[in-house]
Amino acid sequence: AATGTSINVSSGTLNLNNDTTVATPLTLSGGTLAGSGNVTVTGPFNVTATSTLSGTGTFTTQGTSTLDMTGAGSFLALTGGKTWINQGTATLGGDDLIYFGYSSGGANALTNAAGATFNLTTTNANPLSLWTGTATFDNAGTFNNAAAVTHTLSSGIAFNNTGTVNVTAGTLTIAGNGSDTGTYSVATGTTLAFSAGTRTLNAGSNITGAGTLVVSGATVHATGLRGIAATGTSINVSSGTLNLNN
């Protein structure tokens, strides 16, 4: 375990090939954290400049994670078969993004675990983007779309929701495939859009709130409840297909 004052990877690569627990603040300020070992960060995790998480080891954060980087359009790359599991509170801010597969591809994933929170406050229009390989975002906790902009989650990223997605500001457009048993809460004046791919709202899922649901190119199979139909401002099917199976 690492128990010193702090770890800062500013350039180059730190390879951790054994399982490691980091109890101090971990900062990526331009470098790469890689390796085949599983890394658990119990202290703060900060990304302050374009940086990379790479390698097959699982990266787990249990405290506060802040991605707020210098430079326009900076990003954190998840590549080479990396899985990041957030078990604390993570915030993607500034005008930053997470870039899956940049630049070595692989099967990469980000899991927002049950009881965890992922805040999307960035002003970047494409906060979850795919370079190459495959990518999955699994939300089992709380996912907050909290910036008054239009966020589009890339069509190459599978987005699965078994927790709660709150659209409290702006528009959240999901362009990838996915299967849900969780809830989408769409506040007044906001929009949830399914723009591409195939989405299955399984039993137990729901879309609630006084906002707007848009199907604009996706095929949506709605088996779960659709509270927004009774309480929302509108449902707009502009292209694609909305199958109501209840």
Side-chain angles (χ1 to χ4, degrees):
T3 58
T5 303
S6 63
I7 299 172
N8 184 0
V9 184
S10 61
S11 63
T13 301
L14 173 62
N15 287 306
L16 298 176
N17 294 316
N18 292 325
D19 293 353
T20 304
T21 298
V22 180
T24 67
L26 171 63
T27 299
L28 299 182
S29 58
T32 297
L33 180 64
S36 58
N38 298 320
V39 177
T40 300
V41 182
T42 61
F45 171 55
N46 302 301
V47 183
T48 60
T50 291
S51 302
T52 300
L53 291 172
S54 180
T56 56
T58 298
F59 181 74
T60 302
T61 51
Q62 297 180 335
T64 299
S65 299
T66 304
L67 286 66
D68 194 352
M69 305 169 223
T70 58
S74 296
F75 59 86
L76 174 66
L78 299 184
T79 193
K82 178 58 64 181
T83 295
W84 174 14
I85 301 174
N86 172 49
Q87 295 179 341
T89 298
T91 301
L92 177 60
D95 65 346
D96 305 328
L97 68 147
I98 295 174
Y99 220 159
F100 290 85
Y102 185 89
S103 59
S104 59
N108 304 290
L110 201 166
T111 298
N112 190 43
T117 300
F118 191 93
N119 298 312
L120 205 59
T121 63
T122 175
T123 58
N124 195 295
N126 304 107
L128 301 181
S129 292
L130 176 66
W131 176 263
T132 190
T134 63
T136 303
F137 191 112
D138 290 321
N139 178 55
T142 301
F143 181 99
N144 296 316
N145 191 82
V149 298
T150 296
H151 284 145
T152 299
L153 310 188
S154 172
S155 61
I157 300 173
F159 184 89
N160 304 304
N161 176 37
T162 59
T164 300
V165 173
N166 295 314
V167 185
T168 60
T171 296
L172 177 63
T173 299
I174 300 174
N177 298 327
S179 180
D180 303 325
T181 57
T183 298
Y184 293 87
S185 177
V186 188
T188 302
T190 71
T191 298
L192 171 67
F194 298 123
S195 65
T198 300
R199 177 141 312 268
T200 303
L201 302 173
N202 294 293
S205 63
N206 204 353
I207 301 174
T208 66
T212 299
L213 169 64
V214 174
V215 177
S216 57
T219 297
V220 179
H221 301 289
T223 301
L225 297 174
R226 296 162 302 282
I228 200 168
T231 63
T233 301
S234 64
I235 299 175
N236 182 358
V237 183
S238 61
S239 62
T241 303
L242 174 60
N243 291 310
L244 302 178
N245 297 319
N246 282 349

